[in-house]
Amino acid sequence: MESTDGTTSVQRPADAELHRRLVYGDESALAEAYGAYGGLVRAVAMRVTRSRAAAEDVAQEVFAQLWSRPYAFEPRRGSLRTWLSLLAHRRAVDWVRGEARHRKDVRADDLALHGIPDASPGPAEAVVDRERSLLLHTALAELPQPQREVVHLAYFAGRTYRQAAVELGIPEGTAKTRLRTALRTLAETLADPPDPPDPAWGEGA
């Protein structure tokens, strides 16, 4: 049962003793720490991220660090409760910043795509637009296959680059790099549309 500040109603173990047991790899010490402070850590993360799933992820990371690096906590400098709260807040802020960067990257990719000239033929310049459409398809075909796959998934199959990474079995960073490189290549290739044909072209002298 959790109290109003997110902590549980179980009796909190003494920090120094708990720290000693964690250092010696006592798994029951980690369970006690989670039982005593897990609710607090999730509550702190929830206030920052406003996401229950993110708060759970943050809690897992916090207690994973407590288990893998128990020396990072020093009982003489403060309580375990305070240390875990600060760590949870720091991890939650990192999560929020990461999500903001992700949204910014998605917007940048969308703007890059919109910067590619429209390949749909218009009534005023049908010939030019047919040439541009052909150029677009040619440019797509000439992309390296890894880049072409990401572009297809991201802009023709409606996937995010994260989803594309999962489908292709590659890291998210690799998918993002391939997509950006492909968009730059396409934008450069299509930057200068073909000149409209001279009305007098083809007329006999």
Side-chain angles (χ1 to χ4, degrees):
M1 178 177 179
E2 296 185 357
S3 63
T4 55
D5 67 351
T7 59
T8 59
S9 59
V10 300
Q11 183 176 3
R12 295 171 186 160
D15 288 351
E17 174 63 17
L18 192 62
H19 180 251
R20 184 190 67 80
R21 291 165 57 198
L22 286 167
V23 168
Y24 281 97
D26 185 347
E27 294 183 1
S28 65
L30 180 65
E32 288 181 31
Y34 189 86
Y37 302 112
L40 170 67
V41 169
R42 288 193 299 273
V44 170
M46 184 70 179
R47 283 197 296 269
V48 176
T49 65
R50 300 187 181 278
S51 166
R52 188 174 300 277
E56 291 292 343
D57 289 344
V58 167
Q60 290 180 12
E61 292 177 6
V62 166
F63 285 97
Q65 180 169 337
L66 177 63
W67 175 250
S68 63
R69 298 178 56 197
Y71 286 108
F73 166 62
E74 298 183 24
R76 293 175 298 177
R77 292 191 174 185
S79 69
L80 181 59
R81 180 183 189 279
T82 299
W83 187 81
L84 290 173
S85 297
L86 291 173
L87 184 57
H89 186 271
R90 189 179 307 125
R91 291 297 182 93
V93 169
D94 289 342
W95 182 89
V96 171
R97 288 173 177 169
E99 285 299 298
R101 285 194 297 270
H102 168 61
R103 289 193 293 270
K104 182 178 179 180
D105 289 343
V106 170
R107 288 196 297 270
D109 290 341
D110 287 343
L111 289 174
L113 178 66
H114 294 156
I116 299 175
D118 186 3
S120 301
E125 298 179 344
V127 174
V128 173
D129 287 340
R130 280 198 299 271
E131 290 293 335
R132 184 183 291 123
S133 178
L134 178 61
L135 186 60
L136 172 61
H137 289 293
T138 301
L140 284 169
E142 290 179 350
L143 289 174
Q145 183 177 352
Q147 295 179 20
R148 191 165 61 247
E149 290 174 341
V150 176
V151 170
H152 174 76
L153 288 174
Y155 292 108
F156 297 100
R159 308 290 197 275
T160 66
Y161 78 84
R162 287 180 171 178
Q163 292 171 333
V166 172
E167 291 194 27
L168 296 173
I170 58 178
E172 290 181 6
T174 300
K176 186 192 301 184
T177 299
R178 290 180 184 177
L179 182 59
R180 287 183 171 177
T181 301
L183 290 175
R184 281 197 300 268
T185 300
L186 291 174
E188 290 170 1
T189 302
L190 304 176
D192 297 319
D195 294 330
D198 187 336
W201 184 84
E203 292 183 0

